[in-house]
Amino acid sequence: MNHEAVTVIGMGSMGRALAEAFRAAGHPTTVWNRSPAKAADLVARGAVRAETVADAIAASPLIVVCVLDHDAMYTTLAADEAALAGRTVVNLGSGSPEQAREAAVWAARLGAAYVDGAIMSTPPGIGRPESMLLYSGDAAAFARHVDTLRALGDPLDLGPDAGVASLYDTALLGVMWATLTGWLHGSAVVGADGVKAADFTPIANRWPAHAVTGFIGHYAAQVDAGAYPGDDATLDVHLATMDHLVHASRDRGVDTALPELYRAYTERAITAGHGADGYARVIEGLRG
Amino acid sequence: MNHEAVTVIGMGSMGRALAEAFRAAGHPTTVWNRSPAKAADLVARGAVRAETVADAIAASPLIVVCVLDHDAMYTTLAADEAALAGRTVVNLGSGSPEQAREAAVWAARLGAAYVDGAIMSTPPGIGRPESMLLYSGDAAAFARHVDTLRALGDPLDLGPDAGVASLYDTALLGVMWATLTGWLHGSAVVGADGVKAADFTPIANRWPAHAVTGFIGHYAAQVDAGAYPGDDATLDVHLATMDHLVHASRDRGVDTALPELYRAYTERAITAGHGADGYARVIEGLRG
Ligand SMILES: [Ca+2]
Ligand SMILES: [Ca+2]
């Protein structure tokens, strides 16, 4: 295997994890950071510290950027922007879909390829094959570098629109917050009757793994079809059981805003005449 | 293996699935329903239809009840309540924790053992070892019948408080609704930019399985300890990234109430001085 050279710009905890994963996979790895001391460990293990951004860019056809935001990326690369011509910038820092699309235009103007990415892992997960990294943007550049990027975790190709990786990122975090908040609420409800979170949680974790993800897979086709047959449970049935949770929460002095919110979505769909539909119908009320 | 006789009262779609699972596992199975026709298929396969509730009770030491609610259970069993003495009633219908605790008192008065249960599966999942059924109540009775109950799916013992199975049931449904609603919201956000739910969903389903359940397992110990070190991501960091989702939703005309709700919980905890804590700290604001 030909080990492509790669440059990592930004040595926060995530940038260091990225550089270490490239280095450990055998890629000649050049690193740059505003404060050079951050790279000391990596350099001791064989990475090369570039003295300047210009040197960092010159060292590799693939420039992976992991700095605070898009402004920090532009400011850093401005030191030798023209040298990006013919290279690929993979931006793994955070930003909005709109910022990613602007960055693709910026890169094109410089003759560089731009791929935007999102890391669905904490730094210790970098380099593990089960960790997901999402990429979207220049398709040819992604194809050229995907074997190198595989050193970071499983690289998922979300297509040529540079904004999509970032959009998935924020939407997936939303699923996470919703799930975490639902679990915390459930833990508060059972906790009020003396149940430990350590007892409730293995069951709560087993339930989504074996049931909820199955429902979601089934409902995805309904969402795309715009038809939501209530073949498992109808909104009418959901509403009645949601009332049990609202009451059980209130009786225990536990905040009811979360169950009242999805109860309201459910009731709104029922009022619109969809009580015999399944839960996926709720998306129609969420959309603009 | 000695195949204990079992009676199933209530032949809705779930009651029929329960009786069929007992029958298929080799248990002499007696069934009763207000409308006898509902049991015809089961009887054709070898179950015995009791003519009266009294016959149904007399047939087995284990009486599994799956009727609409607690009132329907009392009304049905009233036909020969005294015959319940020395038997075990396992109630798999729906109801509140308080109703389950009342039922335990009712059964004790009759000299019967009471176990309350919750079925975390749809009827087609009954009989599969990965399906979870939750039980709480009379510990000796549960131990006596657990091998029979295993025919329905994995029987989980939640201890002697009859109310706990029902409380887990409603709390777990809450985790499900929160997760489903979060996934529908995420699907609406990416859908606004043309991404199909069928493309988003496999990634959304993989993300909880490999990451979110890990966080939850880690946070459960924090909830029980009442200490929430922000060792992965702090509430301050969560708040900033939640703002991205609120904005991305609003820009796309997608309802923002769900992200605004957990954003408000997060902000409340930060305002109370816990910005450096992790997300599990939010439970303190949910509790009464
Ligand atoms: Ca990104
Ligand atoms: Ca129940």
Side-chain angles (χ1 to χ4, degrees), chain B residues 172-221:
Chain B
L172 289 170
L173 287 171
V175 179
M176 179 190 76
W177 288 313
T179 302
L180 287 178
T181 308
W183 164 75
L184 288 171
H185 183 269
S187 297
V189 168
V190 298
D193 283 23
V195 176
K196 292 223 160 299
D199 290 329
F200 177 66
T201 301
I203 295 176
N205 262 345
R206 181 176 158 185
W207 161 241
H210 287 84
V212 181
T213 57
F215 296 149
I216 287 177
H218 179 60
Y219 292 163

Side-chain angles (χ1 to χ4, degrees), chain B residues 28 43 78 86 115 201 248 252 270:
Chain B
V43 170
V115 175
T201 301
R252 289 164 176 79
I270 292 172

Side-chain angles (χ1 to χ4, degrees), chain B residues 70 91-95 116-119 165-166 169:
Chain B
H70 282 256
N91 177 20
L92 294 175
S94 69
D116 203 84
I119 303 170
S166 210
D169 186 12

Side-chain angles (χ1 to χ4, degrees), chain A residues 70 91-96 100 114 116-119 134 162 165-166 169:
Chain A
H70 282 255
N91 176 19
L92 294 174
S94 68
S96 71
Y114 183 79
D116 204 83
I119 303 170
L134 312 179
S166 209
D169 186 12

Side-chain angles (χ1 to χ4, degrees), chain B residues 31-276:
Chain B
V31 299
W32 184 88
N33 196 62
R34 186 187 307 262
S35 330
K38 288 284 194 80
D41 276 11
L42 275 158
V43 170
R45 284 194 296 273
V48 171
R49 190 175 68 76
E51 292 291 327
T52 64
V53 170
D55 289 349
I57 293 171
S60 312
L62 173 61
I63 315 294
V64 173
V65 182
C66 189
V67 295
L68 184 66
D69 55 21
H70 282 256
D71 283 348
M73 175 178 75
Y74 293 131
T75 306
T76 302
L77 296 178
D80 196 20
E81 228 179 42
L84 291 170
R87 303 180 199 275
T88 298
V89 175
V90 173
N91 177 20
L92 294 175
S94 69
S96 70
E98 290 69 27
Q99 287 175 316
R101 288 165 189 152
E102 283 165 21
V105 173
W106 160 83
R109 189 172 43 76
L110 299 168
Y114 183 80
V115 175
D116 203 84
I119 303 170
M120 308 312 294
S121 168
T122 54
I126 295 299
R128 294 191 197 153
E130 72 272 21
S131 294
M132 291 197 292
L133 287 94
L134 312 180
Y135 298 96
S136 68
D138 190 301
F142 179 74
R144 213 155 51 230
H145 300 296
V146 64
D147 285 335
T148 301
L149 296 171
R150 208 178 305 281
L152 306 178
D154 189 12
L156 303 190
D157 178 9
L158 301 184
D161 175 352
V164 169
S166 210
L167 191 63
Y168 267 67
D169 186 12
T170 194
L172 289 170
L173 287 171
V175 179
M176 179 190 76
W177 288 313
T179 302
L180 287 178
T181 308
W183 164 75
L184 288 171
H185 183 269
S187 297
V189 168
V190 298
D193 283 23
V195 176
K196 292 223 160 299
D199 290 329
F200 177 66
T201 301
I203 295 176
N205 262 345
R206 181 176 158 185
W207 161 241
H210 287 84
V212 181
T213 57
F215 296 149
I216 287 177
H218 179 60
Y219 292 163
Q222 299 187 353
V223 167
D224 288 334
Y228 315 89
D231 46 15
D232 46 3
T234 64
L235 288 170
D236 288 329
V237 168
H238 281 293
L239 190 72
T241 45
M242 285 170 177
D243 279 337
H244 292 156
L245 180 57
V246 172
H247 294 146
S249 303
R250 188 175 295 138
D251 286 352
R252 289 164 176 79
V254 173
D255 191 286
T256 57
L258 180 62
E260 286 189 288
L261 177 62
Y262 45 70
R263 191 198 177 288
Y265 290 147
T266 302
E267 194 166 43
R268 191 193 302 165
I270 292 172
T271 303
H274 305 299

